[in-house]
Structures are given as structure tokens and as C-alpha cells.
């Protein structure tokens, strides 16, 4: 009853905010950021400003301009997408010393090639409207192979058009299609969804609906069920709505957009069309405008046991909030698919007092030695986080 009343009060409050802010253009969403990505990748970084739990250490694994989504291939080769740099990279740790000392440009002049995935020796790359495959990539790191177009029927709308991609436990390639706006109801059902297809591009179908803009998902190492982040809408004030961590164990679930946000906040434009009870409640509501992107569920044997099963989330950070928030790696504890705690794991890329930023986490992945890698498109860096026993 209390949650329902809070939701109603939130909705009334947001209606007031909406009428004040309705003249603001949706075109600014996620495009004109209050902080800009740096073009340089050779400046010294103040790693000592980062706050980690006791016993953890962070170091620079590689410098890669505009580093975004990551996937590990074979033989210590890390593939990295970008957005504004328009390039896809391969980072090699040839001597196995835990540092990626060689960076190859696999391809360039691509259209926001944010997403990368790896399967059976082939590299998959997501542009805005199509999926590319670079066959036998491990033997072609220096030759800039010509890609094969696997699928080219995604929308060409650039707004929320950059894509995260990954292969699921079912062997299918999962590809999101963001909403082409801040808040709208499209006549095309493919918008605001997560799709999936066979590796050859066949049998594309919608897996989840009502997903405004996810740029990160993963599968639980034990249950094999999907978890994904979603970025909340703008122009409802600094503190509403929350961003989300969602749990999608099966096909056909609807997560609320554009009608309901955070499981209980009716949208001032579309909330009168469907109640929040129609939709799946988030596994955990995150901070407002923190921009959660990539995530992993830790399952290695390098960190202390209490970290097993914890969700580590890269929060890219707010772009238009009056006081910046996010710019960190957060951690969520799950019990039976629901979040029961939400706290920082690493922060310090944002100086809260000065409101200055020197890094923006994008993706976080676990690698074979149990450490994690974090990409940062603002400073052009990939960090490695280890635990010293």
C-alpha cells in the first residue's frame, strides 16, 4: 500500500516537472554531454584518486581511444568497440604479463561500432543498423579482414542507436534496439526492445520489450538467466526516474517503457494508458541518471568469496543532471533474482566536491585469471582490477 501511494505521489510530482520541462528537446538526450570524451590516450591518470575495497588494486591494462564494449577472445586477445572513434580494436597481451601492450585496429570508419562479440574464432561487431562478422579473426589481426554482413535490417535512427551485443547460453546473438527518442511510443515494435538471432543472422525475434536503452547485459553463471541495465528517461528532474537493473529469465517480458519507470512511477505522458502492475518490476532500482552500461556477475576465484554472485555495473555517469552522479563501478547483491543491496565498488573518477570528471566507465568483464577489466571511453583506458591475498 505504501509503495502504491508513493508511486501516485511521484506521478503527481513528475507531472508538475513535466509541464515545466516539456519544451526541452528530446534531441539532446545522450548526445550533448556535460563532459566530453578526450581524444588523447597518453596522459598520466590519477589512479591514486580511485577508491577500492581493501586488498584490491587497479592498474592500466591498455590505452585505447574511446574504449567502449569489450569481449575476450583466445590467447589473451581482447576485442574493444568504440563509438565516436568509429574503430574496432584488438588488444594483445603477447607475453601474458597482464598488460595489453599491442593494439591493432581491426576496422575503421564504421558507424558507431560499440558492440563486440566473439564466437568460434569469429568476431561480431554491431553498427547502428547492421551486424558484421570478421571470420577467423585470430589469424587476421594485422590484415584488416573484409567483414561479412550478417544482418542489416535494424533501424537507422541514430538516437540510442549504438548497440551492445553478446552471445547467450542458447548460442543466439542478443542485440538491443533503443528507443529513438527520450520518451515516445513507436509504432514499430522493434524499438525499445532486446532482439536475438542465430549466428548467421536468421530467425531474428524480439526477446524483451519496454526497454528504453540498454547498453549492457549478461547471464547469471549458475541460472543462465539474463540480467540487463536500462537507462531511465530525462526531463523529469534530477532525482527521477531511477535507472534500472532488470532480470529477464524468459522471452516475452515487458519492462514498462514508455508507460512506467522504476516499477512504480507512471510516465506523465503515457502513464494513463497502462498501469505499472502490467510490467516487470526491476531487480534493483539504481541511482537516477547514473547511466548504467556494461555489467558482469562475478564468478571467479581471484576475489574473496563474498564477491561471488555480485553484479558489478559500469555507471557511465549523468550527462545533464545539475549535480553529477555515477562515474563509478557499483555492486548489487542478488537473492533469488532480486537485488537486496546497492553500493559503490570503485569510485573516484568523479570529484564530487569540484564536480570534475577524469573517467567514465563503460563496460566491465571478468577474464580467465579472475580479475576484471573496465573500459573508460573518456580517458581512453582499459583498467585491470586484481585482488592481492
Amino acid at each position: 500500500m505504501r509503495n502504491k501511494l508513493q508511486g501516485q505521489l511521484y506521478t503527481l510530482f513528475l507531472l508538475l516537472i513535466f509541464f515545466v520541462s516539456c519544451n526541452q528537446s528530446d534531441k539532446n538526450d545522450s548526445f550533448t554531454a556535460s563532459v566530453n570524451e578526450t581524444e588523447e590516450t597518453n596522459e598520466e591518470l590519477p589512479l591514486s584518486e580511485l577508491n577500492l575495497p581493501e586488498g584490491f588494486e587497479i592498474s592500466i591494462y591498455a590505452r585505447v581511444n574511446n574504449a567502449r564494449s569489450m569481449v575476450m577472445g583466445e590467447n589473451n586477445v581482447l576485442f574493444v568497440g568504440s563509438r565516436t572513434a568509429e574503430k574496432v580494436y584488438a588488444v594483445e597481451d603477447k607475453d601474458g604479463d597482464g598488460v595489453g601492450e599491442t593494439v591493432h585496429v581491426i576496422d575503421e570508419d564504421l558507424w558507431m561500432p560499440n558492440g563486440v562479440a566473439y564466437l568460434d574464432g569469429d568476431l561480431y561487431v554491431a553498427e547502428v543498423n547492421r551486424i558484421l562478422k570478421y571470420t577467423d579473426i585470430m589469424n587476421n589481426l594485422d590484415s584488416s579482414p573484409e567483414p561479412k554482413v550478417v544482418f542489416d535490417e535494424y533501424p537507422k535512427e541514430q538516437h540510442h542507436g549504438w548497440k551492445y551485443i553478446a552471445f547467450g547460453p542458447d548460442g543466439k546473438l542478443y542485440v538491443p534496439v533503443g528507443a529513438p527518442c527520450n520518451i515516445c511510443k513507436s509504432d514499430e515494435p522493434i524499438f525499445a526492445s532486446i532482439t536475438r538471432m542465430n549466428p548467421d543472422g536468421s530467425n531474428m525475434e524480439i526477446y524483451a520489450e519496454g526497454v528504453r536503452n540498454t547498453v549492457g547485459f549478461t547471464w547469471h553463471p549458475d541460472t543462465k538467466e539474463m540480467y540487463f541495465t536500462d537507462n531511465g528517461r530525462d526531463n523529469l528532474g534530477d532525482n527521477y526516474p531511477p535507472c534500472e537493473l532488470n532480470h529477464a529469465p524468459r522471452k516475452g517480458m515487458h519492462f514498462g517503457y514508455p508507460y512506467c519507470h522504476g516499477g512504480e512511477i507512471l510516465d506523465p505522458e503515457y502513464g494513463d494508458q497502462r498501469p505499472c502492475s502490467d510490467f516487470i518490476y526491476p531487480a534493483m532500482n539504481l541511482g537516477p541518471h547514473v547511466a548504467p552500461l556494461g555489467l558482469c556477475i562475478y564468478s571467479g576465484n581471484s576475489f574473496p568469496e563474498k564477491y561471488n554472485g555480485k553484479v558489478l555495473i559500469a555507471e557511465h555517469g549523468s550527462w545533464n543532471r545539475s549535480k553529477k552522479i555515477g562515474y563509478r563501478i557499483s555492486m548489487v547483491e542478488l537473492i533469488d533474482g532480486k537485488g537486496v543491496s546497492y553500493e559503490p565498488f570503485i569510485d573516484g573518477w568523479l570529484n564530487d566536491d569540484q564536480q570534475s570528471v577524469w573517467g567514465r566507465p563503460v563496460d566491465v568483464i571478468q577474464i580467465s585469471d579472475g580479475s576484471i577489466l573496465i573500459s573508460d571511453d573518456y580517458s581512453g583506458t582499459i583498467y585491470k582490477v586484481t585482488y592481492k591475498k
Side-chain angles (χ1 to χ4, degrees), residues 35-39 66 68 83-85 316 360 377-378:
V35 290
N36 298 310
E37 296 158 352
T38 179
E39 294 295 327
N66 192 229
R68 294 279 296 184
R83 185 172 147 194
T84 60
H316 199 225
R360 303 189 76 184
D377 64 353
Y378 183 80

Side-chain angles (χ1 to χ4, degrees), residues 95-216:
D95 55 10
D97 66 350
V99 177
E101 70 279 349
T102 304
V103 179
H104 306 268
V105 176
I106 298 298
D107 208 346
E108 56 189 338
D109 298 323
L110 299 173
W111 192 11
M112 293 187 179
N114 180 88
V116 287
Y118 184 82
L119 181 69
D120 296 335
D122 300 331
L123 174 67
Y124 291 72
V125 174
E127 292 188 286
V128 170
N129 67 318
R130 62 182 188 166
I131 306 297
L132 307 177
K133 182 173 77 169
Y134 297 79
T135 303
D136 193 24
I137 190 62
M138 298 302 301
N139 292 316
N140 291 281
L141 297 179
D142 295 311
S143 60
S144 298
E146 187 69 24
K148 174 185 177 181
V149 177
V150 171
F151 189 86
D152 62 359
E153 297 179 16
Y154 284 115
K156 294 184 177 180
E157 279 78 358
Q158 185 168 297
H159 198 112
H160 297 153
W162 54 95
K163 292 172 169 53
Y164 179 94
I165 59 173
F167 283 99
D170 55 5
K172 292 181 179 291
L173 182 65
Y174 286 71
V175 184
V177 181
C181 54
N182 172 35
I183 186 74
C184 61
K185 181 182 177 182
S186 175
D187 292 332
E188 300 179 55
I190 197 168
F191 285 112
S193 75
I194 299 174
T195 71
R196 66 180 177 182
M197 66 179 72
N198 294 328
D200 63 0
S202 62
N203 296 325
M204 191 276 285
E205 62 179 353
I206 293 176
Y207 179 78
E209 300 175 85
V211 182
R212 179 179 178 270
N213 180 32
T214 180
V215 195

Side-chain angles (χ1 to χ4, degrees), residues 289-343:
H289 311 296
V290 298
L293 302 183
L295 70 162
C296 74
I297 300 176
Y298 190 77
S299 61
N301 55 14
S302 176
F303 293 1
E305 186 176 353
K306 68 178 182 179
Y307 290 95
N308 284 336
K310 300 293 196 301
V311 186
L312 302 176
I313 302 172
E315 295 186 356
H316 199 225
S318 58
W319 68 274
N320 64 346
R321 196 172 184 268
S322 62
K323 185 175 181 181
K324 295 181 178 68
I325 190 174
Y327 306 91
R328 65 181 187 174
I329 303 296
S330 61
M331 184 169 66
V332 172
E333 180 180 0
L334 296 173
I335 295 180
D336 296 329
K338 295 295 183 182
V340 296
S341 67
Y342 169 52
E343 60 186 314

Side-chain angles (χ1 to χ4, degrees), residues 254-269:
H254 196 301
F255 292 87
Y257 177 89
Y259 311 100
C260 178
H261 311 288
E264 57 187 30
I265 301 174
L266 290 172
D267 188 83
E269 292 181 68

Side-chain angles (χ1 to χ4, degrees), residues 237-252:
D238 275 358
N239 298 317
Y240 303 100
C243 293
E244 300 171 4
L245 171 66
N246 285 297
H247 179 205
R250 62 186 180 277
K251 176 186 171 183

